[in-house]
Amino acid sequence: MNWDTIKGNWKQATGKVKEQWGKLTDDDLDVIAGKRDQLAGKIQERYGIAKDEAEKQLSDWEKNSKSDTWFK
């Protein structure tokens, strides 16, 4: 799924984001507000991983996300 779709449907996407990265809080997700770079930074911060690893996880999640199962 492309990031514009995720950003445009951020409220629905937050549930899927929390399934993938459960250490992110509701406050984190409110601050992120659909901004990909902020999401990557929060993943890096909460999980103590390198920026490259956070970006890889996020890219893999984007590729594997199916919007048709999100927005029914």
Side-chain angles (χ1 to χ4, degrees):
M1 176 182 328
N2 73 32
W3 194 258
D4 288 335
T5 302
I6 294 169
K7 185 176 181 179
N9 295 283
W10 185 244
K11 288 295 180 190
Q12 293 94 329
T14 57
K16 297 295 183 180
V17 170
K18 284 186 79 170
E19 283 179 21
Q20 182 69 30
W21 296 284
K23 291 183 181 179
L24 296 177
T25 67
D26 290 335
D27 287 342
D28 289 338
L29 297 173
D30 288 344
V31 169
I32 292 164
K35 297 180 196 95
R36 190 185 188 285
D37 59 330
Q38 293 216 3
L39 177 55
K42 281 293 179 186
I43 293 167
Q44 180 183 0
E45 178 185 324
R46 293 283 182 233
Y47 287 86
I49 59 176
K51 182 178 181 179
D52 290 348
E53 177 59 23
E55 286 288 344
K56 180 186 179 309
Q57 286 184 18
L58 190 49
S59 292
D60 289 347
W61 178 77
E62 282 178 76
K63 288 177 201 163
N64 294 321
S65 294
K66 304 273 190 278
S67 64
D68 59 332
T69 62
W70 287 19
F71 311 122
K72 287 189 175 184

